[in-house]
Amino acid sequence: MRIIRSPATMTAWSERLRREGVTIGFVPTMGALHTGHRSLIRAARLRCDALVVSIFVNPTQFGPTEDLTRYPRTRLKDHALCRAEGVDVCFEPTSTAMYPEGFQTTVTVPSIARRWEGDARPHHFSGVATVVTKLFGIVRPHLALFGQKDFQQSMLVRQLTRDLNLGVEIIVRPTVRERDGLAMSSRNVYLSMGERAVAATLYDSLRAGAEAIRNGIVDTSAVHAIMVNTIGQEPAIRVDYLAICDPVTLDPLSLVTTKAVLLGAVRLGSIRLIDNLIVSTRSTRNR
Ligand code: PAF
């Protein structure tokens, strides 16, 4: 496996392969790789000839009071995982290479970034949109894979790729979970033992909401009450939002007629967890 740090070298590598007709797959990450990343890498490996994983803790997607400096960095373990999974290139640019002096362009996707994670983290999505656009420009992949766990992020990436004609096929893969249902995330290492023991309650709450919808409850205030009630069983958890939304626009729904995405964000001490589930009504599933 080659480790490339310079954007120019990365682009030259990709351009050479593209000229030879090689299909390039790409998994962008911020490192601290876990089983969720492994599943993206494996899915990518099946669909491409050459595979690039980027490891870049992107400063522009962290707010001033967020965890940029203490974000887990496990470089050697990450390389070992990539090697074991047959990754061809690990692209690890420096911040200065990505944002050299004089850098000023930002990419925004206003309507998708407007609420939910966008409310809680005002600059987050323009940071993500800008770095993903840059990474696509540098790596020049044919396809790129993202996890459904960051549902709003995956919608944003699809939108910007379409709007800017980036020519990258976006594949969103299901969330990989721990045995108790907690969505895998690099930030789970921050959880204390006590917090970890109750962290899957967020997933329990989404599942309770999904089950209610599948059982024919269409009024979202009733579904919401069921979700809040499930979370309420763990007093250590504070809800940022639990929402029942249209999976295309992310607008909150008052009635679920066909399909919905249940979005949740909670705080456990200083740790913030997000998760989501997509659910179809019984009538849609029986069609
Ligand atoms: O999901 C992530 O790890 C990051 O937001 C991404 C897409 C690599 C951009 O920094």
Side-chain angles (χ1 to χ4, degrees), residues 24 46 48 54 105 123 126 132 134 160 172 179 183 187 224 242 245 281:
I24 302 173
L46 295 175
C48 65
S54 64
T105 303
H123 305 292
S126 67
V132 168
K134 281 179 67 71
L160 78 88
V172 179
R179 287 171 81 92
R187 288 189 169 98
H224 189 258
L242 288 171
C245 303
T281 56

Side-chain angles (χ1 to χ4, degrees), residues 26-31 37 40 54-62 71 99 121 124-125 127-129 131-132 135 145-147 149-150 153 157 186-187:
F26 179 40
V27 179
T29 82
M30 298 209 296
H37 295 112
L40 293 179
S54 64
I55 297 182
F56 178 60
V57 183
N58 173 38
T60 64
Q61 69 188 76
F62 289 77
Y71 193 83
Y99 302 110
R121 308 179 68 191
H124 175 66
F125 283 127
V128 171
V131 80
V132 168
L135 287 168
L145 288 86
F146 294 82
K149 185 199 151 245
D150 297 300
Q153 168 174 283
V157 170
S186 303
R187 288 189 169 98

Side-chain angles (χ1 to χ4, degrees), residues 3 11 14 22 90 96 106-107 145 156 165 182 199-200 208 216 226 241 270 274:
I3 294 168
T11 304
S14 291
V22 168
C90 208
T96 329
T106 53
V107 179
L145 288 86
L156 172 114
N165 304 88
L182 175 66
I226 290 168
Y241 59 81
S270 61
I274 61 169

Side-chain angles (χ1 to χ4, degrees), residues 5-281:
R5 294 186 73 84
S6 138
T9 309
M10 183 68 248
T11 304
W13 183 90
S14 291
E15 280 302 315
R16 183 175 53 78
L17 293 191
R18 286 181 79 103
R19 280 196 297 275
E20 291 168 8
V22 168
T23 303
I24 302 173
F26 179 40
V27 179
T29 82
M30 298 209 296
L33 303 183
H34 50 67
T35 309
H37 295 112
R38 191 194 295 275
S39 92
L40 293 179
I41 292 171
R42 285 189 178 168
R45 192 63 282 176
L46 295 175
R47 302 187 57 143
C48 65
D49 306 313
L51 178 53
V52 179
V53 170
S54 64
I55 297 182
F56 178 60
V57 183
N58 173 38
T60 64
Q61 69 188 76
F62 289 77
T65 59
E66 291 183 356
D67 56 344
L68 172 62
T69 50
R70 71 179 186 123
Y71 193 83
R73 287 161 171 89
T74 56
R75 198 164 171 257
L76 296 181
K77 267 177 67 188
D78 293 349
H79 290 167
L81 186 149
C82 288
R83 259 191 214 100
E85 297 300 333
V87 171
D88 296 287
V89 169
C90 208
F91 175 51
E92 285 184 282
T94 60
S95 282
T96 329
M98 290 297 276
Y99 302 110
E101 187 143 338
F103 182 90
Q104 52 176 298
T105 303
T106 53
V107 179
T108 53
V109 189
S111 120
I112 292 176
R114 182 160 45 107
R115 59 177 138 226
W116 313 127
E117 283 311 281
D119 275 343
R121 308 179 68 191
H123 305 292
H124 175 66
F125 283 127
S126 67
V128 171
T130 304
V131 80
V132 168
T133 307
K134 281 179 67 71
L135 287 168
F136 283 0
I138 295 166
V139 176
R140 315 225 167 144
H142 295 89
L143 50 105
L145 288 86
F146 294 82
Q148 189 195 311
K149 185 199 151 245
D150 297 300
F151 186 82
Q152 203 173 350
Q153 168 174 283
S154 65
M155 288 185 65
L156 172 114
V157 170
R158 276 193 202 286
Q159 183 78 40
L160 78 88
T161 306
R162 197 167 48 235
D163 290 351
L164 300 178
N165 304 88
L166 299 183
V168 180
E169 182 191 352
I170 305 300
I171 298 165
V172 179
R173 300 279 308 162
T175 304
V176 178
R177 299 181 180 281
E178 303 283 357
R179 287 171 81 92
D180 64 353
L182 175 66
M184 290 212 179
S185 159
S186 303
R187 288 189 169 98
N188 288 352
V189 296
Y190 296 153
L191 295 167
S192 68
M193 264 167 69
E195 289 164 348
R196 174 63 192 85
V198 299
T201 311
L202 171 57
Y203 178 58
D204 295 341
S205 149
L206 297 175
R207 268 199 325 183
E211 197 183 313
I213 292 170
R214 282 194 291 262
N215 286 338
I217 300 184
V218 292
D219 177 349
T220 55
S221 51
V223 177
H224 189 258
I226 290 168
M227 292 163 70
V228 169
N229 192 36
T230 310
I231 286 277
Q233 287 162 23
E234 282 306 337
I237 301 183
R238 280 170 301 134
V239 175
D240 258 14
Y241 59 81
L242 288 171
I244 300 125
C245 303
D246 180 307
V248 177
T249 62
L250 292 185
D251 289 338
L253 294 170
S254 48
L255 293 178
V256 185
T257 50
T258 52
K259 219 174 177 191
V261 59
L262 310 187
L263 299 175
V266 297
R267 286 177 200 271
L268 255 174
S270 61
I271 318 299
R272 198 161 173 279
L273 302 173
I274 61 169
D275 201 350
N276 66 83
L277 272 185
I278 297 173
V279 57
S280 299
T281 56

